[in-house]
Amino acid sequence: MTALETTPVRRRTATAFSAKIGPSLFFLAMLVVTLIVLLPVFIIAFTAFKPIAEVNAFPPSLIPTEWTFDNFTRIFTDLPFARLILNSFVFAGGVTVLALAFDSLAAYVLARIDFRGSRLLLIVIVASLMIPFQATLIPIYQLVADLGWVNTFWGLIIPRAADAFGIFFLRQFFLSLPRDLDNAARIDGASEFRIFRSVVLPNAVPALLTLGIYIFVNNWNDLLWPLVFTTDQEMGTITSGLTLLTGPSGIVPYGVMMAGSLIAVIPLAVMFLFVQRRFIESVASTGLK
C-alpha cells in the first residue's frame, strides 16, 4: 500500500479516536467543574455532622472521623428553628406570589397595550434597578414603622410585592408571544383581563416559573431585610436566626450553624428539582445567557 493510500485510513482513524476521546474529556471537565461548584455544599454537609472538637481542630478535615447528630439537635434547642422555617416559607412564598401577580400585570400592560408614555414608564422602571438597595432601605423602614408593620409579615412582604426586574423580564417574554392570539380573543369579545388570564398567562408558565424561583431564592436567602424589619426572635427567618448563634466571648458554634444552613438548603434543592425541566425550557425560549 502506497503512502497516498494510507493517508485516508490514518485520517479516519484519527477522526474515530477524536470522536471517542472528545466526549470523555468533556464529561471529565464537567465533572471537575461540578465538584468545584459543589465543594462549599460538601463542606457544609460534612461540618454539620462533626463534633465540636473536630470542627475546631487544625488542620481541618473534610470528612468527619466521628459522625454526630448533636448539631441538628442543638439547632432546635438553641433557636425556635421550626418557627424560623415557617417564617421563611411565609415570607419568601408570600413575596413570590404577590410579585408574580403584580409583575405579570404590569408587564402585560407594557408589552401588549399601546398607550402614551409607555416607553417613558419602562425607562423609569429599568432605571430604578440602578438605585442601590441600601439607599431606599431607611425610607422604606420609616414607612413600615409609621404603618405599625415592624415585626409583622405585612412589613416583610408588602414592600417587596413588586419588582422592577420581574416586570422587565416578563415584558420581554410577553413581547415574544404572537399578537394574533390577542387579536383573535378581542374579536371574540374578550376583555383585556380575560386575554391576560386565559391567553397570555398559560403561554408564559416557563417564564413565571423562572421568575418565581429567582424571587423565592433571593428572599429565602436574604439576611439584611429580615434583620432590619424584625426585632422579635419569633418573627425572624432562618438566615436572621442563624446570626443569633453566638456563644460566650463571641465564639460561633460552626457545627450548629452548618446544620441550620444544610436544613435551609434542602427546600431550595427540592423545589429546583421539581421545576428543572421547565426552568431550562424558559431559559432557552427567552434567550437568557
Side-chain angles (χ1 to χ4, degrees):
M1 183 179 295
T2 64
L4 292 176
E5 293 175 339
T6 58
T7 299
V9 177
R10 291 176 179 175
R11 289 178 178 175
R12 287 196 298 269
T13 304
T15 302
F17 180 77
S18 300
K20 293 180 180 179
I21 296 299
S24 300
L25 291 176
F26 177 77
F27 175 79
L28 181 61
M30 291 300 297
L31 180 61
V32 172
V33 172
T34 302
L35 292 176
I36 294 174
V37 172
L38 293 179
L39 181 59
V41 180
F42 292 148
I43 294 175
I44 292 174
F46 290 135
T47 305
F49 291 97
K50 289 181 179 180
I52 297 178
E54 192 170 348
V55 171
N56 299 323
F58 186 84
S61 60
L62 178 61
I63 301 176
T65 57
E66 180 182 351
W67 296 75
T68 180
F69 290 93
D70 292 343
N71 295 323
F72 292 93
T73 303
R74 283 190 56 189
I75 194 65
F76 285 95
T77 56
D78 295 357
L79 292 174
F81 202 67
R83 177 57 188 259
L84 298 181
I85 294 175
L86 177 62
N87 292 346
S88 294
F89 272 111
V90 174
F91 167 52
V95 171
T96 301
V97 172
L98 291 179
L100 287 179
F102 292 131
D103 290 354
S104 59
L105 285 169
Y108 174 80
V109 173
L110 292 173
R112 317 296 283 191
I113 300 177
D114 298 324
F115 63 94
R116 181 178 298 178
S118 60
R119 184 170 295 276
L120 177 61
L121 181 59
L122 177 63
I123 293 174
V124 172
I125 291 175
V126 174
S128 67
L129 292 171
M130 303 179 185
I131 300 176
F133 165 72
Q134 293 79 4
T136 60
L137 186 60
I138 294 177
I140 293 175
Y141 178 82
Q142 186 62 51
L143 178 61
V144 170
D146 292 342
L147 293 172
W149 285 355
V150 177
N151 285 321
T152 65
F153 287 119
W154 295 107
L156 286 172
I157 296 173
I158 296 301
R160 292 195 162 186
D163 179 69
F165 171 78
I167 295 173
F168 178 75
F169 175 84
L170 291 178
R171 175 188 177 272
Q172 296 305 110
F173 187 89
F174 290 163
L175 287 175
S176 66
L177 300 177
R179 282 186 173 267
D180 294 341
L181 300 175
D182 302 17
N183 297 331
R186 289 190 184 95
I187 293 174
D188 291 339
S191 63
E192 290 296 335
F193 184 76
R194 179 67 182 275
I195 296 172
F196 166 75
R197 179 174 59 86
S198 302
V199 177
V200 175
L201 283 187
N203 290 285
V205 171
L208 292 173
L209 282 175
T210 302
L211 183 60
I213 293 174
Y214 172 80
I215 296 173
F216 187 89
V217 171
N218 274 359
N219 287 277
W220 180 275
N221 292 328
D222 198 341
L223 172 62
L224 181 59
W225 189 269
L227 280 179
V228 171
F229 290 92
T230 60
T231 57
D232 185 2
Q233 186 177 5
E234 292 292 327
M235 282 301 302
T237 60
I238 293 178
T239 51
S240 63
L242 290 178
T243 61
L244 302 175
L245 289 174
T246 303
S249 303
I251 299 175
V252 179
Y254 290 105
V256 181
M257 184 172 288
M258 292 302 103
S261 301
L262 183 61
I263 296 174
V265 168
I266 293 175
L268 302 181
V270 173
M271 180 184 66
F272 183 78
L273 288 176
F274 274 108
V275 299
Q276 179 183 13
R277 183 175 63 86
R278 287 282 192 169
F279 178 79
I280 296 174
E281 289 176 358
S282 171
V283 171
S285 58
T286 55
L288 292 179
K289 302 299 181 184

